[in-house]
Amino acid sequence: MFVVFEGIDGSGKTSISNRVAAALADEGLTVKHLRAEGKFVSPVSEAIRELGRSAQNLALTWQAEFLLYVARDVQLLHEALRPALATHDLVLADRFLYTPQVLGRYGRHLPESFTGPILQAAADGLEPDLVILVDVEPSFARARRKLRKLELGDEQAKAPARKGLSGVGLQQRLRSGYLELAEQQPERWVVLENRGSLEQGVQLVVQLIREAQRDGVAHASARFRARAARPKPSSAALSQPSQALEAFLKLVDDLMEREPRVAAYMLGGMHGPAFDERRRALLERVPVAALAALSGLEDDESFRLRRSAARQHPGPALRSLGLALASPQGWALWQELATSVPSDALASLSGVSDERAWQLRERCIDDGPRLAELAVGTLSGLDDERGWQLRERLLSGRAAELDSNYDLARAVAKSVTGLGSERAWQLRRRARPLAPVAALASLAGLNDAESWEWRAGALLRAPKVVMATLRGLHEPQAWQMRSAVARDCKEALDGLQSVDAAEAWALRDASQDVWPSTVVKSLGVLADQSRGQKLLLQLLASYPDNVSLLKHASSIALGLHRSQREPLE
């Protein structure tokens, strides 16, 4: 029997499929998992996956990306899948040809006339007996992905994933595509809503596969749907931000029982009496996630929480400072912890010109390649001679490595973020072939012809990154680029918090049915004015189940939108 697990990144399909494989093997079945522990059993397929996911290949076209995903699965099919079907009771695949189908058709908008014949030929007549779509709301999936990266740390040698360059909207489109396929093929697909515990999901799937082997997929799927069906609670209409706050707190309390790490993530940027008891409880249970949620917060309770966890978790405590580093309490904590975790101390200094920051950079520049690269990477926005001396020291004897060392190229590109001088451009151009995303991101705030040329060339392949470089830019080119991608890329609205320009309102109006929560986030202090209030109440009434919308409306209910210096995630 051949069973495929599908779902968006962060849905939980890999965790569930591996647990299911182990459970059924324990029952005596011979089980082959084609992507055990997250890696394909075929080294060739794994290598193709890495090629297709790496954002170093920014120039890869959507058609070529699609063909790579297909090639990955074709190799797996012939090298591992067909042989396994001949010798095992059960073969499980974490992703199959449905992944390129959904990515190509729904994610990248490639025509069916292109993708369909290729997928049909690639399948070589083989179809899974059962497809299990592990479904989750994209905001929860995003939280899980970010938390996973947080736990792994900053892997300097690993380029970001290409899918992430398209922004949150890609995951929304992929989820819609998967759900559409499931609706079109109910005889083969079932949907597992991954809202409960991992154990519950595993039990449901194990029982489904047992019954499918015994009674056939159609009968087993019908019983699975009956067991998995949950009456969806009807959400009460929301007419005020205070009601959104109540709903948001209820959601957080539920998550604290089921997924405390995600609950901590959802509290990011939130503080005050309504949240402090919950933050303290989460700090005891999931300290790293709870510290990450403090990023940039300067209230006394946030500092008390940092200090209470700093001894055991100095790195996460330092990384949580963000903009709060500029406060006296922030610098005091930084100085206490800097010597014990110099890499995290450095990472918190991006763009900081304080003498204490300079002293640490200068101590680390000769303390091995990794710390030297971290130190130089924090020079974004700093165009003085002291910064250039550090850049020159980093490159002394290593300039040739800019053509082969991703870490070095990335650090150099980061170091010239926001700098438009000719020598900054020389480094940016040199780093671009090896670290194209960092080089593109370094255009933040720049308004020269070459910057606009680079943005235009990357707009379709990396809209999220391009949008981040437009913060603070209100030139016609900036508004044109935002408008061009806004329907697919919610990040087009990022950076518009409290902006009262006609172009900003036009974007909000055009995006409110696609990105209601981001539209509300972009209001900032405009939420206190009649036009902003009207839009907020309209969106609350229309989307009472939108988790991110509840959070941003809660921020408005508490008055936090008046003091935020950067948007809430």
Side-chain angles (χ1 to χ4, degrees), residues 252-332:
V252 169
D253 289 341
D254 180 53
L255 283 171
M256 286 178 69
E257 295 298 320
R258 296 189 290 109
E259 288 192 82
R261 292 162 63 253
V262 175
Y265 175 88
M266 291 295 173
L267 288 181
M270 310 296 280
H271 64 91
F275 299 103
D276 290 344
E277 182 179 348
R278 294 170 173 86
R279 296 197 294 165
R280 286 190 289 269
L282 287 165
L283 188 69
E284 292 181 5
R285 297 176 62 189
V286 286
V288 174
L291 284 168
L294 303 180
S295 181
L297 294 179
E298 300 180 56
D299 61 290
D300 289 340
E301 179 63 14
S302 292
F303 273 108
R304 195 198 70 77
L305 292 172
R306 289 185 183 103
R307 288 191 170 280
S308 69
R311 181 178 297 238
Q312 289 185 304
H313 305 282
L318 270 177
R319 292 196 298 269
S320 77
L321 287 171
L323 292 174
L325 174 64
S327 68
Q329 289 192 78
W331 274 114

Side-chain angles (χ1 to χ4, degrees), residues 343-399:
S343 61
D344 291 298
L346 278 171
S348 65
L349 297 178
S350 184
V352 177
S353 189
D354 186 277
E355 180 60 28
R356 291 161 287 197
W358 284 114
Q359 288 177 5
L360 181 59
R361 291 185 185 112
E362 289 165 354
R363 285 200 304 272
C364 291
I365 195 69
D366 298 316
D367 206 4
R370 181 172 178 272
L371 285 179
E373 289 156 5
L374 278 173
V376 167
T378 69
L379 296 175
S380 61
L382 303 178
D383 203 14
D384 55 14
E385 282 308 309
R386 202 168 180 179
W388 284 104
Q389 288 172 10
L390 281 181
R391 294 182 184 96
E392 290 167 7
R393 286 172 65 182
L394 175 69
L395 291 173
S396 178
R398 299 184 66 192

Side-chain angles (χ1 to χ4, degrees), residues 3-18 20 93-95 131-138 141 144 171 174-176 178-179 182 189-198 200-202 204-205 208 224 259:
V3 179
V4 169
F5 290 79
E6 287 285 0
I8 63 175
D9 295 338
S11 63
K13 65 188 176 305
T14 302
S15 298
I16 290 174
S17 66
N18 276 280
V20 167
D94 180 352
R95 295 201 181 283
V131 184
I132 299 167
L133 171 57
V134 183
D135 184 49
V136 69
E137 210 277 331
R144 291 170 181 165
Q171 296 299 323
L174 296 182
R175 185 196 188 200
S176 297
Y178 278 125
L179 289 171
W189 286 65
V190 298
V191 179
L192 173 66
E193 295 186 5
N194 193 13
R195 294 184 294 173
S197 68
L198 176 61
Q200 289 173 332
V202 170
L204 280 169
V205 174
L208 165 66
F224 172 87
E259 288 192 82

